[in-house]
Amino acid sequence: MRIAIIGTGYVGLVSGACFSDFGHHVVCVDKDADKIDALISGAMPIFEPGLDQLVARNAAGGRLEFTTDLAGAVDGAEAIFIAVGTPSRRGDGHADLTYVHSAAREIAAALTGPTVVVTKSTVPVGTGDDVERIIHEAAPDAQAWVVSNPEFLREGAALEDFKHPDRIVIGAEDPHAAEVMREVYRPLYLNKAPLLFTTRRTAELIKYAANAFLATKITFINEIADLCEAVGGDVQDVARGIGLDGRIGAKFLHAGPGYGGSCFPKDTLALLKTAEDVQAPLRIVEAVVKVNDARKRAMGRKVIRALGDDPRGKIVALLGLTFKPNTDDMRDAPSISIVQTLQDAGVRVRGYDPEGMEQARPLMPDVALCDSPYAAAEGADAVVLVTEWDVLRALDLRRLAATMAAPVLVDLRNIYPPEEVEAAGLSWHGVGKAPRS
Ligand SMILES: NC(=O)c1ccc[n+]([C@@H]2O[C@H](COP(=O)([O-])OP(=O)(O)OC[C@H]3O[C@@H](n4cnc5c(N)ncnc54)[C@H](O)[C@@H]3O)[C@@H](O)[C@H]2O)c1
C-alpha cells in the first residue's frame, strides 16, 4: 500500500517507520527542510529508543522516504495521514488547528485520485468534519474519505506501543474507508490487536477521554501523596494496595512532580474548552488541571524547604529534565516550573539530563548544564531527582554526598529508599511519605 504522512515529528516519524516495517511504501513529509535533510542523511531529529535502526532498515529497503514535497507524496497515495502538531492556542487553551487545516488545504490541492485522509493528530471533536469540508470545498471533484485514527503511543516506548497496541481506534463514516484502514493495519490485526471501529466524532472523543482519565489517575495519587505526608502514610504502599485491585490497576499510580509532556497538559485544556463550548462542563478534569498546575511550583517549594534557611545563593542540581525518561522531549516538563520557582527564590540551578540537554538549553537559559550527575552535584546544597532515567536509578550515593556542600537529596520520583539515602550520608526528602526526623 502507498501511504503519505504529513508531519514527521514524534508521531509521524514513528508511524511512518512502523508502517514501512509492515511492508507498506511510506513517504514522510515535513515543512522543516533541516529535519528532512537530517533524515535523508541518516540522522534522527528526535531521541526514541530503536527508532534509528528501524528508519535505517526501511529506508535502505526502499520502503521509507522523506521529502518536503507534499504534492509528490500525496500523488498516488491510498492513505494520507495528518500527523502535524496541535498545540494549545495562545491565550485561550483551545487546540490550535492551524497546522491541521493548512495540511488539509495542501492535501486538497494535491489530490490526483481516490484516497483516504486520516487524522492521526489529536484533534477536538468535529475536526474531521472541518477537514472533510476544507477538502471538498477546495477539490469538489476529488474522491476523499476522511477518517479519525487517534494515536496512543507513549514517547520512550513508541515502537513497542505502535507495533503492539492495546487497541487501534478507527472512526470512519464510510465502509470503503474502513476497509482501507483495515488494510493499513492488517499486520497488527493478524497479531490480534483489537481494531475498534466507531464514528469519527466518537474516535476523536476517545483520545481526549483517555488522556484526561490518565491525567486524573496521576493527579489523584499525587493528592493522596500530600495526604500521606500530612498524616504519616506511605504513598507507594497505598498505590500498591489500591493498584492490585483489578478494577483500579497499578499503572499511572506513581506519585511525582505532576504530569507534563507534549500531550496531557494541552489535551486536558482543549477538552475543557470543548466541554465549555457545548455547556457540558467536565468538573473533574477542571480540578485535575488546577491541581497539576499548582503541583509543579509546589515541588519547587518542597526543594526550597529542604535547603533550610535562606535559599538565596544556594546551589541546586536537578537530575533528569525531560518530562519522562527515554525521550528528549521537554514540552511542558515539570522541571521548567521547578527551575522557575527556584530561580525566583534566588537559587542557582544546575541541570543534567542524559538526552534532553539540547532541548532544555533554550527553555532554561540560566541553568548551568553539566556533563554528568556528579559534575552537577559538586558543591551543591541539594540534589533533586526530577525524572527517573535508568542512569539515575543506580547513582553512587556516597560519591554524590562526598562531592556536595550540603548532603541533601530530594527524590521527587521515590527512586531510592530513605534508609539507603541516609546510610549514604544524605538527608532524604521524597514524595508521599512523612518527613523523617
Ligand atoms: N508526541 C506524542 O507522544 C503523541 C502521542 C499521541 C498523539 N500525539 C499527537 O500527534 C500530533 C503530532 O504530535 P508530535 O509530538 O508528533 O508533533 P511534532 O511537533 O513533533 O511534529 C509535528 C511536525 O509536523 C510538521 N508540520 C506542521 N505542518 C505541516 C505541514 N503543513 N506539512 C508538513 N509538515 C508539517 C512540523 O514541522 C513538525 O515536524 C499532535 O496532535 C499530538 O497531540 C502525540
Side-chain angles (χ1 to χ4, degrees), residues 327-360:
T327 180
D328 57 354
D329 201 336
M330 282 293 299
R331 288 178 279 187
D332 269 320
S335 62
I336 300 170
S337 303
I338 296 173
V339 165
Q340 196 60 63
T341 312
L342 292 174
Q343 289 180 337
D344 288 349
V347 173
R348 289 157 60 197
V349 185
R350 293 186 192 151
Y352 165 77
D353 191 277
E355 294 290 340
M357 295 216 280
E358 206 180 306
Q359 312 257 19

Side-chain angles (χ1 to χ4, degrees), residues 283-358:
R283 284 178 288 264
I284 293 173
V285 185
E286 280 169 20
V288 165
V289 169
K290 277 202 192 107
V291 170
N292 192 67
D293 278 350
R295 185 163 188 85
K296 295 184 193 175
R297 276 188 80 87
M299 293 298 107
R301 291 196 298 275
K302 183 190 265 293
V303 176
I304 290 169
R305 279 198 303 280
L307 288 171
D309 300 334
D310 189 10
R312 200 155 288 278
K314 290 199 170 157
I315 299 174
V316 167
L318 299 188
L319 305 186
L321 302 173
T322 52
F323 81 98
K324 67 171 172 179
N326 293 323
T327 180
D328 57 354
D329 201 336
M330 282 293 299
R331 288 178 279 187
D332 269 320
S335 62
I336 300 170
S337 303
I338 296 173
V339 165
Q340 196 60 63
T341 312
L342 292 174
Q343 289 180 337
D344 288 349
V347 173
R348 289 157 60 197
V349 185
R350 293 186 192 151
Y352 165 77
D353 191 277
E355 294 290 340
M357 295 216 280
E358 206 180 306

Side-chain angles (χ1 to χ4, degrees), residues 9-11 30-31 35 84 86 106 122 151 155 266 331:
Y10 285 85
V11 166
D30 207 284
K31 277 199 170 326
K35 192 179 268 192
V84 300
T86 48
E106 291 172 61
T122 302
E151 182 50 57
E155 287 176 13
K266 77 172 176 68
R331 288 178 279 187

Side-chain angles (χ1 to χ4, degrees), residues 6-12 29-32 35 70 83-86 99 102-103 106 120-122 151-155 207 262-263 266-267 329 331:
I6 316 304
T8 308
Y10 285 85
V11 166
V29 184
D30 207 284
K31 277 199 170 326
D32 182 341
K35 192 179 268 192
L70 183 142
V84 300
T86 48
Y99 303 104
S102 93
E106 291 172 61
K120 201 166 240 327
S121 300
T122 302
E151 182 50 57
F152 298 95
L153 64 78
R154 294 163 301 165
E155 287 176 13
K207 174 65 190 174
S262 65
C263 293
K266 77 172 176 68
D267 292 347
D329 201 336
R331 288 178 279 187

